[in-house]
Amino acid sequence: MIKNINIKEERGITLITLIITVILLVIVTTILATNSYTSLQLSNLTRLQNDIEVLDSRIASYFIQSGELPIYKSEYAISKSELSSKIKGVSINDGDTYYTIDLSQLDNITLNYGEGYRALTNDRYIINEKSHVIYYLEGIKYDGDTYHTIGANKPIT
């Protein structure tokens, strides 16, 4: 009743097959992780673009109605030199004064970024007094660069 088992006749997964399978899984996982990270960065940049487009439209309407920008007053002004230390390549066509946008003055606005405007953190939008170009102070990283604005100006990195 005891069977003689010949080990050589038994077939199973070889060590080489197992190693090849693990290597292929690592390669596929690396490719998927890289692609999803790039997609996430692109999604963040798209959300920034949408925010700036919404802000641009809402601020233009506010400016037409009230004749002023929805900003915190001069105590929150940022000079071009101070801004240049945070954002490289600020447009030379802009005036010298930038203000933090007071989002509470804009009715029913929902943004992805910029909620730090009350505490004046870097998570806020600023606007140039002269050109009305909007910048996101913290910036969004994409493909090794940090973008602070999109639209009329080419993205500033």
Side-chain angles (χ1 to χ4, degrees):
M1 312 249 191
I2 299 177
K3 292 184 178 178
N4 285 337
I5 298 176
N6 189 350
I7 293 178
K8 289 184 179 178
E9 291 179 11
E10 293 289 319
R11 297 286 176 178
I13 295 178
T14 64
L15 186 58
I16 292 174
T17 306
L18 185 60
I19 290 173
I20 290 172
T21 304
V22 168
I23 289 172
L24 287 174
L25 284 173
V26 166
I27 290 171
V28 169
T29 303
T30 302
I31 290 170
L32 289 175
T34 302
N35 286 342
S36 65
Y37 180 69
T38 302
S39 295
L40 179 64
Q41 285 183 324
L42 184 58
S43 172
N44 290 341
L45 191 59
T46 302
R47 284 197 300 267
L48 174 65
Q49 181 176 2
N50 291 339
D51 279 4
I52 289 177
E53 288 172 357
V54 166
L55 276 172
D56 192 40
S57 171
R58 287 306 219 15
I59 289 171
S61 295
Y62 185 93
F63 188 74
I64 289 170
Q65 290 175 356
S66 68
E68 60 184 30
L69 293 171
I71 57 174
Y72 284 104
K73 301 304 174 197
S74 61
E75 63 268 14
Y76 298 112
I78 301 169
S79 68
K80 184 183 262 186
S81 61
E82 182 183 350
L83 186 62
S84 294
S85 68
K86 296 177 185 199
I87 300 175
K88 296 175 187 168
V90 173
S91 176
I92 58 171
N93 296 325
D94 284 348
D96 288 336
T97 310
Y98 297 81
Y99 293 99
T100 297
I101 298 171
D102 183 1
L103 299 178
S104 65
Q105 293 185 38
L106 302 172
D107 295 330
N108 301 322
I109 191 165
T110 303
L111 300 173
N112 297 294
Y113 305 105
E115 292 302 318
Y117 72 99
R118 288 185 192 104
L120 297 179
T121 65
N122 281 343
D123 181 31
R124 60 185 162 136
Y125 288 99
I126 58 173
I127 189 167
N128 180 266
E129 180 181 41
K130 178 181 169 188
S131 67
H132 296 191
V133 173
I134 299 166
Y135 298 92
Y136 178 54
L137 202 53
E138 188 169 303
I140 299 296
K141 293 193 184 307
Y142 177 73
D143 201 23
D145 292 326
T146 302
Y147 292 84
H148 296 277
T149 191
I150 297 173
N153 297 17
K154 58 185 177 183
I156 293 180
T157 58

